[in-house]
Amino acid sequence: MRHFHYLLIHELRVLLLSPATYTAAVLFLLQMWWLYVFILWDFSSEPRDTLPTESFFYFFWIPALFVVPLLTMRSLAEERRLGTLETLMTTPVSTVSVVLSKYCAALIFYCLLWLLTLAFPMLTVWAIPQPIVAERILDIATLTGGYLFVVVSGFLFVAVGIFSSSLTRSQLVAGMLSFSILFIIILGPPVVLNQNIPWPYWLEIPIEYFDLFNHLDDFKRGVIDSRPLVYYLSNTALILGISVLVVESKV
């Protein structure tokens, strides 16, 4: 891990020079801005008990499905296709350092993109300088819990993207595989629970445990349960560990 710092700087530089990074950033900001405006328009037309920010965070799955694959699909797949991964592994760096540097670089950009969305409520309050608007738009508890959920869940999402990239030489295949796995992780449990199937009690509880939207509800209320944290962090470590093994086996 001595060279991790240099590898991380290199990966951040690669992401800054990659067209896919800017494509992901533009798509993300346009999608989330359009959703934010739509939510504000919907709330202005009819009074609601919930806050606009709460509804905004419910769309966390959109950037997870479309932005994460764009940020991670080239990380290992392109290096393997060009043959630079094998060359890199001949230097005095460990496989763990290589995988973690690519993972951390993508995670930093993912969190940075979400951080930019803080400008949306700020611009709204600036455009409509009314105390009631600021109170509802800039609710500290909701913003803190929502962004904390985004960061913690992002650990797992980006790890899935890195794992998908480690399995293939094709960026396209890596992106499609990452999208498919994330789709199952995010939307699988709520779809299963909404089928009105009389699941056994012992099976329904684990399915609810994997429902990320339930986790989001807890975070927005300020309930930081250890179970979701264990779920995200343990699975992140497991997926990154498997990614390291895959890279070592294919070098």
Side-chain angles (χ1 to χ4, degrees):
M1 297 291 288
R2 291 185 302 138
H3 305 282
F4 172 78
H5 174 70
Y6 303 103
L7 289 172
L8 178 59
I9 294 176
H10 169 72
E11 292 302 326
L12 290 172
R13 187 181 298 115
V14 169
L15 281 175
L16 283 173
L17 298 176
S18 173
T21 303
Y22 296 97
T23 301
V26 171
L27 288 176
F28 172 82
L29 293 175
L30 287 177
Q31 285 177 341
M32 302 313 287
W33 172 247
W34 182 85
L35 287 170
Y36 193 80
V37 172
F38 176 78
I39 290 170
L40 290 180
W41 176 81
D42 188 46
F43 271 72
S44 64
S45 61
E46 182 180 352
R48 303 290 183 87
D49 294 331
T50 59
L51 299 176
T53 311
E54 295 184 36
S55 298
F56 176 72
F57 283 116
Y58 266 112
F59 292 98
F60 74 92
W61 56 273
I62 294 180
L65 289 179
F66 296 100
V67 175
V68 170
L70 285 173
L71 287 177
T72 59
M73 64 184 186
R74 74 177 306 277
S75 56
L76 292 167
E78 184 69 4
E79 294 239 24
R80 180 174 284 114
R81 186 183 71 83
L82 297 175
T84 54
L85 183 61
E86 289 78 2
T87 304
L88 178 63
M89 297 310 299
T90 61
T91 62
V93 297
S94 65
T95 309
V96 175
S97 298
V98 172
V99 172
L100 283 183
S101 63
K102 295 180 179 297
Y103 168 76
C104 290
L107 180 62
I108 288 172
F109 269 92
Y110 179 75
C111 294
L112 178 61
L113 290 177
W114 269 102
L115 184 63
L116 292 176
T117 62
L118 272 174
F120 300 163
M122 298 293 185
L123 289 173
T124 303
V125 172
W126 174 78
I128 311 175
Q130 298 180 10
I132 185 62
V133 174
E135 181 182 350
R136 292 183 63 83
I137 296 295
L138 296 179
D139 183 71
I140 300 301
T142 303
L143 288 173
T144 302
Y147 280 107
L148 181 59
F149 170 81
V150 165
V151 172
V152 175
S153 62
F155 291 164
L156 177 59
F157 299 156
V158 176
V160 169
I162 296 296
F163 169 70
S164 301
S165 185
S166 71
L167 296 174
T168 177
R169 295 175 179 269
S170 170
Q171 293 187 51
L172 180 60
V173 173
M176 294 175 62
L177 181 61
S178 176
F179 175 90
S180 301
I181 297 175
L182 290 173
F183 185 89
I184 294 173
I185 291 175
I186 298 172
L187 300 178
V191 169
V192 170
L193 290 173
N194 290 332
Q195 295 301 313
N196 295 323
I197 299 176
W199 296 100
Y201 178 76
W202 59 270
L203 187 58
E204 185 174 345
I205 292 179
I207 296 177
E208 291 180 348
Y209 173 74
F210 293 125
D211 189 350
L212 273 62
F213 292 91
N214 286 339
H215 302 166
L216 175 60
D217 287 338
D218 290 340
F219 274 87
K220 289 188 304 182
R221 293 197 304 267
V223 180
I224 310 301
D225 194 349
S226 61
R227 291 175 297 177
L229 296 178
V230 170
Y231 170 74
Y232 294 116
L233 297 180
S234 61
N235 280 285
T236 297
L238 175 63
I239 293 173
L240 289 178
I242 296 175
S243 302
V244 171
L245 295 177
V246 171
V247 172
E248 289 180 342
S249 66
K250 292 191 174 185
V251 173

